[in-house]
Amino acid sequence: MFIVDSHCHLDGLDYEKNHRDLDDVIAKAAARDVKFMLAIATTLPGFHTLKALVGERENIALSVGVHPLNQEEPYDVEEFRRLAADPRVVALGETGLDYYYQQETKAQQQMSFREHIRTGIALNKPIIVHTRDARDDTLAILREEQVERCGGVLHCFTEDQATAAKLLDMGFYISFSGIVTFRNAEQLREAARYVPLDRMLVETDSPYLAPVPYRGKENQPAYTRDVAEYLAVLKGVDIETLAAATTQNFSTLFRVPLSRLGG
């Protein structure tokens, strides 16, 4: 069995208390059939740090982007475009909108979001979208910028079934994290039952949002297995079926050959 953690922040893990090094993280994940990861950058300086951490490992791909909560200072758009063209980079983001924490940077967030989509279209690379308290503007910008030309995923999905339907209509994939296991997440579980297997991804968003039974602890890629097992029950399929489908979806969206994913 082969499971992909489609969204993790490997540079945010605690390598002093919880892991010896990145190879330790990889080994713990592989022991639970999580054998490939997409490592997400949230700033341009952070991308350089992340790329150095990952090195030449073939079982980790990279994204580059500027998170909507990192918009207090302008970033170098030309540098972003140059880094986005790196062959190790399979996606742009995470990008998107977050009005929950930062109302005052709405304009900058929206400009950056559009830039990520336009660069994704230019490079034929999908985008990874974060949204919080910004559903209508997120959907509007995706439509206006013709996101279907590059494709993408709404990561760590926490919206409702109606939002999922709109994203699916745009050709988007939808990624579920450990939040789907939380006791008060019934609306999210309804959305997960609705999203078809061929448009679903699994992720940890580690080190955040550890699934039950690890809530309150640092999340890590190994726990993608717990998210996948939970979703398999919701979808009424076995874990092998869900793992195969989400791995295929990852390959299709991020243009990562199945041969690199054990297939």
Side-chain angles (χ1 to χ4, degrees):
M1 188 161 59
F2 198 107
I3 299 171
V4 179
D5 184 351
S6 67
H7 193 109
C8 54
H9 300 277
L10 296 177
D11 53 343
L13 298 176
D14 189 337
Y15 292 102
E16 292 187 4
K17 294 180 181 176
N18 297 331
H19 316 284
R20 291 190 304 276
D21 52 25
L22 180 54
D23 288 327
D24 186 32
V25 173
I26 292 168
K28 290 170 183 171
R32 303 198 67 211
D33 296 311
V34 181
K35 300 173 184 174
F36 197 93
M37 305 162 197
L38 177 50
I40 308 297
T42 58
T43 66
L44 301 188
F47 172 76
H48 294 289
T49 302
L50 185 63
K51 187 177 180 183
L53 175 69
V54 170
E56 298 301 316
R57 293 174 176 85
E58 281 298 307
N59 53 357
I60 303 175
L62 299 171
S63 83
V64 63
V66 181
H67 193 285
L69 294 179
N70 294 327
Q71 300 290 338
E72 299 93 337
E73 300 291 333
Y75 61 91
D76 186 333
V77 172
E78 288 305 316
E79 182 189 9
F80 166 66
R81 293 173 183 166
R82 180 176 59 78
L83 295 175
D86 186 316
R88 294 290 306 278
V89 170
V90 302
L92 310 187
E94 61 187 280
T95 182
L97 304 174
D98 193 315
Y99 298 165
Y100 181 83
Y101 286 110
Q102 289 189 6
Q103 291 271 338
E104 66 277 8
T105 61
K106 273 187 179 182
Q108 297 98 305
Q109 289 185 41
Q110 292 177 13
M111 286 174 54
S112 178
F113 191 15
R114 292 180 188 276
E115 173 60 36
H116 281 68
I117 299 170
R118 292 169 186 172
T119 303
I121 291 169
L123 295 174
N124 192 32
K125 294 183 179 184
I127 61 163
I128 298 167
V129 178
H130 166 109
T131 186
R132 188 168 186 189
D133 281 11
R135 186 190 85 133
D136 291 344
D137 283 358
T138 298
L139 292 171
I141 288 173
L142 290 172
R143 284 195 206 95
E144 290 164 13
E145 296 295 336
Q146 300 179 301
V147 75
E148 66 277 2
R149 294 171 62 194
C150 64
V153 58
L154 200 297
H155 105 91
C156 197
F157 187 82
T158 55
E159 303 292 329
D160 58 13
Q161 181 176 318
T163 306
K166 290 180 171 66
L167 290 163
L168 292 169
D169 286 346
M170 283 188 257
F172 246 54
Y173 288 77
I174 294 175
S175 183
F176 294 94
S177 70
I179 294 175
V180 77
T181 71
F182 294 0
R183 185 169 54 85
N184 61 351
E186 188 52 43
Q187 176 182 278
L188 182 55
R189 285 188 278 275
E190 286 180 14
R193 293 185 190 101
Y194 170 77
V195 173
L197 264 184
D198 65 357
R199 302 288 283 283
M200 182 179 285
L201 295 175
V202 288
E203 65 169 275
T204 57
D205 201 15
S206 52
Y208 317 107
L209 304 170
V212 173
Y214 310 104
R215 283 204 73 178
K217 299 180 181 178
E218 180 189 75
N219 204 358
Q220 60 174 290
Y223 299 163
T224 318
R225 173 66 179 257
D226 299 271
V227 178
E229 288 178 344
Y230 195 93
L231 284 168
V233 173
L234 286 181
K235 301 298 288 180
V237 300
D238 57 43
I239 179 63
E240 290 82 6
T241 299
L242 188 126
T246 52
T247 297
Q248 176 64 65
N249 297 342
F250 183 90
S251 172
T252 301
L253 174 61
F254 295 111
R255 290 95 164 169
V256 176
L258 268 179
S259 58
R260 192 175 166 191
L261 301 175

